[in-house]
Amino acid sequence: MKKLAKLTIILIAAFASTNLYAQTPNTGNITGTILDEQKKPADYVTVVLFKLPDSTVVKTAFTDQNGLFNFNINTKGSYFYKASNMGYKTLKSQAMPLTSENAKIDFGTAQLTATTQMLKEVTVATTKPLFERKMDRVVMNVSNSSIATGSTALELLQKAPGVTVDQNDKISMLGKQGVLIQLDGKQTYMSSADVANLLRNMQSSDIESIELITNPSSKYDASGNSGIINIKTKKSKNGGTNGSMTLAGGYGKNYRASGGLNLNHRTEHINVFGNYNYYSNKRDQFILIDRISNGTINNTYFSQSGDSERKNAGNNFKAGLDIFLNKKNTLGLLINGYFNNGSEDFLNNTLIGNSFIKTDSSVVANNVIDNRYNNLSYNMNYKSVLDTAGQEISADLDYSRYHGNDKANYINKYLYSSGAAIRPIAYTKNETPSVIDIKAFKIDYTLPLKKKMKFEAGLKSSWVKTDNNLNAQELINNNWQNDTRRSNQFIYDENVNAAYVNLNKEFKTTSIQLGLRAEQTNSKGNSVTTAKVIERDYIDFFPSIFINQSLGKNHDLNVSYSRRIDRPSYDALNPFLYFLDQYTYNQGNPFLNPQYTHNFEATYMLKKKYSVTLNFSRVNDMITEVILPDNEKKALYQTNENIATQFSYSMVLSVPVNFAKWWQTNNTANIFHLDFQAPDLAGQSLNNKSTAFQIKSQHNFTIKTGLLAELMGSFESPVTYGVLRIKTRYGIDAGISQTVMDKKGSIKLSVNDIFNTQVNKISSAYPGLDYALYQKNETRIVRLSFTYRFGKNEIKPARRRSTGTESEQNRMKN
């Protein structure tokens, strides 16, 4: 805490000194007026003032409701401005002098021009490509994609370059797990299982874009060893009153249906916005596991097959209010949440014998699970623009409460090969209620300095409390009795205090950003039933550096380094036992330590279009999911362990190619090498290395005005990840979209996994453990959606806000 207090004092002193530095008298005045294409005043247009002879950026301002902009300047010279707004071409003025005799410049009135162009009497509007490569991230633009129609956010991630989703819905990027998922810059604080459930209930109709940030700066929370995936939901771009409505349906082996409503109302003083989405689906899964349990005399062979039917329904909503106190100060309120429920009916048959051909007994398990996951999050935020130079301060206060409960009933039959009962049917059941409370506060400050410099700093504190209870019972003599072997209560408390500083400096052809983040963690895990308490208190520092070098008109080089941390997810720490049957179960690990990552990255860009990225990372005490043998029970169990070290090398190529005006493509290839080293993993030494690659190719076809088609193919080569060997995966998707109703509506049709080839095949990379897993989910699905937009088309967007509960919610169950 003393170190954090010192950092706080330094930040406060920096705030004070930079404020004094910025407060210099103004002697000159520069004004002008901006009109839109209809010759009406255009408000909230970004106006950047430049000074000759070297076109130095002086200040930035926004036009008011009358289209006016104003700069106060204390240095004489010649000035010009550039005005920009979404959907319009950038407007550049002529240069005008500011002298001691003439201390005022009036640029007069200028009019914006829409980006739409007329070519041979055919209107061609600017549309974003599906993939865009920017300086520090790759952006996947979802809103205009027909392939994305009716898909869930989890299904969309599988189409993103460099991203994979495994058989347990764990998300990896550039071959590395530990991805931090954000929604509109807000961390979800959920466990990986709960994040997957949330993304399964989020529809593409509510998503604007997906940002892939492989090496984040110190401004972001230090968690996420393989980077951040930020899912940006749609916001209205207009003022007055407007909205949109979406209906979608799909079918593979089972049905899918979704619908959503988005509304926005904006006036000079307030902006009210909200949306609601509903989702319901049913899906099948088939799993087959063949394994050999080595015995002292004879081996035992297990052949396990199972079918599951899963149903999910979700209600997600968001409502917010922005109050524009004046032109520079905004107060915001936001509430969002979800109410999700589902069920799973799983029938599992395990054949046991001296070989896979000769069996002498079996276990038939019928598991029925019902779940409920509810979450409500509240946010109050404030933003103040302190001057026209761009100095601003923002603050967020957050509270979130999560409720979850799984109710499971297990029926296990033990049979001889003849079908006769070995022993009576075993009836057991579990109930696992959980409550998670999250409180957070954060403040961010930005100060532009002279000579193209910018200073950023911030503070954040979060408090998380989880209470998980496993009530296990078994039926004995027709009475339900508590199963003391499995029942347990686990309470986890965590407090993280953080502070960061960033300094940005732009030179003629070089820009540099230096950052440092400090995070102090206090945690306590209490297994109430077993009286085991694990407390930790540690502080870490996370430096970062980003360098962007222009090598010429068409050549750019970006180099970066950052150190990051990943704390164990809440469910991974929970020591509960979850049984599939007598021979297959899952168990948490309360002794997990955080993992630390050193991440280096270099990107070369040609013509702001083609790119190659080289990445190297070293992860110490890596947390990974492992499947290990329980020799005493002759069982397999899944848990999380700190594998000692992981080295990762990767190269990502991005090559967009336009074969014709009507045919554009975006192609990405990710080649990576993984090296896992663990001297003692459950008594075995592990040193697994593998080189693999992923290829994704996306094609856009313009058939005619308003009618577009898409085709996407993906291929993933075999890879060894920790104790898992994962075989080849590939698939092809296609879609078509048509605008209707005077461009206010659109109809989209898509087919995912056309040839039904997406399947998971996994075998053991752990010495002495022999198993093979085959898993087939319902992936070939036809989807149809209709979207209708109504209301005015010239309204400003609701403010995107990055709230204070971003890191913690990513570790919850949803």
Side-chain angles (χ1 to χ4, degrees), residues 238-239 241-243 744 788-795:
N238 305 315
T241 301
N242 64 11
K744 290 185 177 181
Y788 178 73
R789 295 168 293 277
F790 54 88
K792 296 182 65 178
N793 296 320
E794 300 285 324
I795 309 178

Side-chain angles (χ1 to χ4, degrees), residues 233 286 486:
T233 57
F286 174 75
R486 296 189 293 125

Side-chain angles (χ1 to χ4, degrees), residues 508-526:
K508 186 175 181 180
T509 60
T510 308
S511 62
I512 299 176
Q513 176 182 284
L514 302 176
L516 178 64
R517 186 178 186 92
E519 292 191 353
Q520 185 213 28
T521 305
N522 309 286
S523 66
K524 178 181 179 181
N526 181 12

Side-chain angles (χ1 to χ4, degrees), residues 3 168 182 257 274 321 338 344 437 506 527 766:
K3 293 181 179 180
N168 294 317
Q182 294 185 351
L321 171 66
Y338 55 83
E344 179 178 2
D437 280 302
E506 292 186 19
S527 182
Y766 181 81

Side-chain angles (χ1 to χ4, degrees), residues 121-141:
E121 299 183 354
V122 177
T123 302
V124 179
T126 301
T127 58
K128 293 183 178 180
L130 181 60
F131 300 111
E132 284 185 290
R133 176 76 205 194
K134 296 188 176 181
M135 174 179 174
D136 62 340
R137 67 196 64 193
V138 174
V139 180
M140 180 179 178
N141 296 300

Side-chain angles (χ1 to χ4, degrees), residues 11 95 115 252 339 365 436 439 449 639 655 689 722 752 785 798:
L11 287 174
T115 54
F339 299 92
I436 303 178
K439 302 171 186 175
L449 302 173
T639 187
V655 184
K689 302 178 181 180
N752 295 107
S785 74

Side-chain angles (χ1 to χ4, degrees), residues 467-490:
D467 189 346
N468 300 276
N469 205 358
L470 172 59
N471 302 314
Q473 293 181 309
E474 55 184 342
L475 188 65
I476 301 177
N477 297 325
N478 293 321
N479 291 315
W480 287 105
Q481 298 183 16
N482 182 46
D483 186 351
T484 57
R485 298 168 302 172
R486 296 189 293 125
S487 295
N488 193 7
Q489 184 180 11
F490 182 72

